[in-house]
Amino acid sequence: MEAESPSGVAGKAAPGFEPKIVAFCCNWCSYAGADLTGVSRMQYSPNIRIIRVMCSGRIEPNFVLRALELGADGVLVAGCHIGDCHYISGNKEAEKQIARTARLLEILGVDKRRLRLEWISASEGQKFANTVNAFTKEVRELGPAGYGRK
Amino acid sequence: MSEKVIRRIIQDTHAFDCVECGKCTSVCPMTRHKKDFAPRLIVVKSMDSPSVEKLARERDLWACTTCGQCASMCPYKVDYTEFIRALRAEGAMLDVTPDCSQGGLLHSMMRVMAKGDLEQDRLGWAKPPLEVAEKGDIYHFTGCSRHMAQVFVGRQGIDIGSVPESAVRIMNAAGVVPAVSKSEVCCGHDLNWVGDEDNFARLVDRNVAAISATGARTVVFTCPEGLRTFSKDYPLVAEGELPFKAVHISELMVQWIKEGKLRFRETTGKVTYHDACRLGRHMGVYDPPREVLKAIPGLELAEMENIREKCLCCGVSGWISCDADTKLLQMDKLMEAKRTGADTMLTFCPKCQLHLHCAQADKVPVDRALIDIPVNDFTVFVANRLEEKG
Ligand code: SF4
Ligand code: SF4
């Protein structure tokens, strides 16, 4: 169900539009959190495609831009809570990187609400489901990003 | 199929005219450091086994910096840079893409600009006392230096983020209020040189429309890549004739200095000037930047050993193939600059600045004292030395 009119600008939601969302989850907390969501049989929006990374600090601006360029409507980055990073400070790096990327999106004119950073631990299955649902709803309202068209 | 394509490219770029004198190889900066690399070898290989796919999967097609040294020396005017570009475009059609620095971030940004409906913050810097207009005879192409500055935010000593405002300060001082446009997008240089012709064409259309809407007849560039792309590549892609001509800001500055419109403060110090390949070898703009520097009272210009057509390369072009050999090229460049005894090296190209900064920040294979010379932007440097209006 591809919506026709692409738009990076908020407020132009297309009826029947279902966003594609890429979620980068860190191996140690958020990916395990996503697992718990599934094992606990909690329902969440099927709009996300999870990519496991070793650490949220691995996410560079190009990951986000590349996802958008290939047709994603939103990008979620999820990592361990501050203080819990398996590599001590990777998530602090992620915070910096995502802020830097958000500013880049602003200069480019891409709505920065299309990028979200969340901390989700391995025990927070419910939080994972809630985050995905809320983010999907927000991106659905923003409408199609439209950078992936051929 | 492949054979025909390769044959056409060889013909178009006059590679058949080669008399094997070897001059191209002797000046190629890549040949200095890369084993078995020579511009002619790529042509020979393409004739021996005429497969675009095979060539595009090899190192050499992407290792060339398209600096144009070879073409500038060739007595028979073989156009290797175009040979390389055309072959890359054929490779791109087969989905063979190079390894790009920053994971292709710049190329992704350009594709987003080519395809999206964007509410750009391109002109956030254009605030009073700077004067810009929506329409006018002279258009200022602001370019992507702010985007690049944001990618490298936090690195010390990089000043490319203030290039657009510096250019406007200079123009305003000369009494010119340039038109600018929020709908302007990246010129597409890097996409063109990785062979992504479709998205390049989209950017061309967008820019031609945005600039035409201002009514401008002259487009002013600070960035050498933008100038080259608008002058040489846009006419091949745009529909119909371009309604404007592209000029470099240094050419206008020389004119304004002669007319007495642009004056500078007394300055002390010594600078050296790096001829970015797109501005020098590709566009032939060698003298105007030097004349501008000479017009700044008290400033000394110390030239490097290799300048103008022979100017050494910053090591990377099109944001492709940055590797260990690139770093060696950059060492050559920086050591030459340092030997002049100048306090800083100036260049118009934001990417030359980034590349050389990056080389200095890395582990270096030489004594650090031999390469520690600041690399700064020409436009910013000049704007900071304008005579204060009383
Ligand atoms: S363009 Fe530059 S790097 Fe490429 S072959 Fe010619 S001289 Fe060598
Ligand atoms: S400089 Fe020109 S003629 Fe000489 S070897 Fe190179 S391509 Fe051939």
Side-chain angles (χ1 to χ4, degrees), chain B residues 28-30 37 39 64-70 80-81:
Chain B
C28 171
M30 269 304 157
F37 181 92
C64 162
T65 66
T66 65
C67 68
Q69 285 264 41
C70 50
Y80 275 127
T81 45

Side-chain angles (χ1 to χ4, degrees), chain B residues 4 70 103 151 154 167 189 239 246 249 253 262 295 297 304 337 370 384:
Chain B
K4 237 182 173 172
C70 50
V151 172
H189 174 277
E239 272 179 45
I249 195 166
M253 280 199 268
L262 214 54
M304 288 174 271
L370 296 175
N384 288 338

